[in-house]
Amino acid sequence: MSIQFLEIILLMTLVTYGARVLPFLLFKGKNVQGFVRDFIELVPIALLAALVIPELVTPNGSIVIIHNPFLWAGVLTFLFARFVPNLFLGIVFGMGVFWGLDKLLH
Amino acid sequence: MNTKAALEVKKGFTYGLRQSLTIAIGYAPVAVTFGILATQFGLTFWEAGLMSFFVFAGAAQFIAIEMIHQGATVWMIGLTTLIVNIRHVLMSLSVVPFFPERTLPWSLGLAYGLTDETFVLNTRVLKDVVREENRRHVMLGINLGAFGSWFVFTILGCMIGKWLPIQFSGFQFALLALFIILTTTSLTRKNAMTYLLAALLAVVLKLLIPGKIYLIISVALAAGIGAWWRQGARSGRVSSKKADYKL
């Protein structure tokens, strides 16, 4: 195990546990309201967009639409997950479709 | 009153552990998937297990193994984890009122097991437990059950991952598939604008700026503009209905 990996684990633990434990240590039962609450609530959905969409649209650093297995596999996985709300099946479906499209489009 | 008190005494650690069963079952396939992907992405058995043990946070762990695979720096991974997990502050804040008399060891211990899923279950279960001491034990049971499942099934996934063929190209899509599935369950009319804004910013910034920094900038900007817009909409509503509402 490399030192760099241990540093990653340490830092991840620090920020994750920190977010969980600080209210326990500092607060007496007050709740965050207003802008900060809305901001924190919107972070997960914004992050999902930022993680997924660039990878689908610009897999190799420039925008590709037609010969792009990532984009089409992404669209199909999205539609599949809307109808079959099962995490495991969805991942298997996505991987299978990507594998097929990757063979087909290249 | 007496029977209620008698029932109450029984609600302790074991009660919490039993309640955690639904989460434990739900975590199993996700943790197995994480174990498989972690080994496929080049992590060792121990590294994946250690991450599940210490970090204990689904989405952040998936993102981290992808970033490690792409060669991101330690600080980028730490910062991204912070962004992903900052939401735990909100959950923690709304659980804290259940434990007004908490001691330091209980604070440190109970906070460790707070995830999206244990948070939802705890808030549902704890409001029916009368005494704080019992609430502590129930939450400990719930959190430990969830944690145990996450850790054990990560290890199982690592073992499966070692046996799978490495050459399957579908694995490069597994994480994206996971995030897309999560999107379908969390996208609503109220946050769709923020989603679109973040997507647009991320694509543009990824093309303009080298590295992974586009993630943080686009998320912060989109969530910031979304929150600011919500504030505006809210104050607009309040001022137009001032006669009806007293804040």
Side-chain angles (χ1 to χ4, degrees), chain B residues 185-235:
Chain B
T185 52
S186 32
L187 198 61
T188 63
R189 210 179 281 182
K190 278 168 80 183
N191 61 27
M193 282 305 289
T194 306
Y195 182 86
L196 289 175
L197 188 62
L200 187 71
L201 284 168
V203 171
V204 173
L205 292 173
K206 190 194 175 198
L207 295 173
L208 293 179
I209 315 169
K212 278 266 170 189
I213 196 85
Y214 72 89
L215 270 180
I216 286 150
I217 302 176
S218 56
V219 169
L221 272 177
I225 294 170
W228 173 74
W229 192 80
R230 274 192 187 182
Q231 292 298 305
R234 206 163 284 155
S235 62

Side-chain angles (χ1 to χ4, degrees), chain A residues 33-48:
Chain A
Q33 293 299 335
F35 179 84
V36 179
R37 188 183 187 87
D38 282 329
F39 181 82
I40 294 177
E41 271 180 8
L42 287 172
V43 161
I45 196 72
L47 184 78
L48 282 171

Side-chain angles (χ1 to χ4, degrees), chain B residues 41-61:
Chain B
F41 274 47
L43 263 68
T44 67
F45 187 91
W46 291 108
E47 288 172 337
L50 212 64
M51 194 186 273
S52 277
F53 190 90
F54 282 107
V55 184
F56 186 32
Q61 289 183 221

Side-chain angles (χ1 to χ4, degrees), chain B residues 120-135:
Chain B
V120 173
L121 189 63
N122 273 305
T123 19
R124 212 167 51 211
V125 169
L126 291 181
K127 65 175 195 294
D128 296 326
V129 184
V130 183
R131 288 170 56 212
E132 175 174 346
E133 205 193 325
N134 290 11
R135 283 199 292 269

Side-chain angles (χ1 to χ4, degrees), chain A residues 54-65:
Chain A
E55 298 299 318
L56 297 188
V57 182
T58 66
N60 303 313
S62 60
I63 294 178
V64 189
I65 303 291

Side-chain angles (χ1 to χ4, degrees), chain B residues 129-194:
Chain B
V129 184
V130 183
R131 288 170 56 212
E132 175 174 346
E133 205 193 325
N134 290 11
R135 283 199 292 269
R136 288 180 196 162
H137 288 105
V138 170
M139 185 169 176
L140 186 68
I142 289 177
N143 291 4
L144 264 182
F147 173 78
S149 166
W150 182 248
F151 180 66
V152 168
F153 283 103
T154 298
I155 300 292
L156 184 71
C158 293
M159 291 180 198
I160 298 172
K162 290 256 175 230
W163 290 99
L164 283 177
I166 308 265
Q167 293 305 322
F168 179 54
S169 73
F171 272 114
Q172 25 171 340
F173 197 74
L175 283 176
L176 285 172
L178 175 84
F179 297 144
I180 290 167
I181 297 160
L182 291 179
T183 306
T184 59
T185 52
S186 32
L187 198 61
T188 63
R189 210 179 281 182
K190 278 168 80 183
N191 61 27
M193 282 305 289
T194 306

Side-chain angles (χ1 to χ4, degrees), chain A residues 16-17 20 24 27 32 38, chain B residues 56 92-93 102 108 114 231:
Chain A
T16 307
Y17 186 57
R20 287 169 176 164
F24 270 87
F27 283 84
V32 191
D38 282 329
Chain B
F56 186 32
S92 185
L93 276 171
R102 63 192 180 276
L108 297 179
L114 202 66
Q231 292 298 305

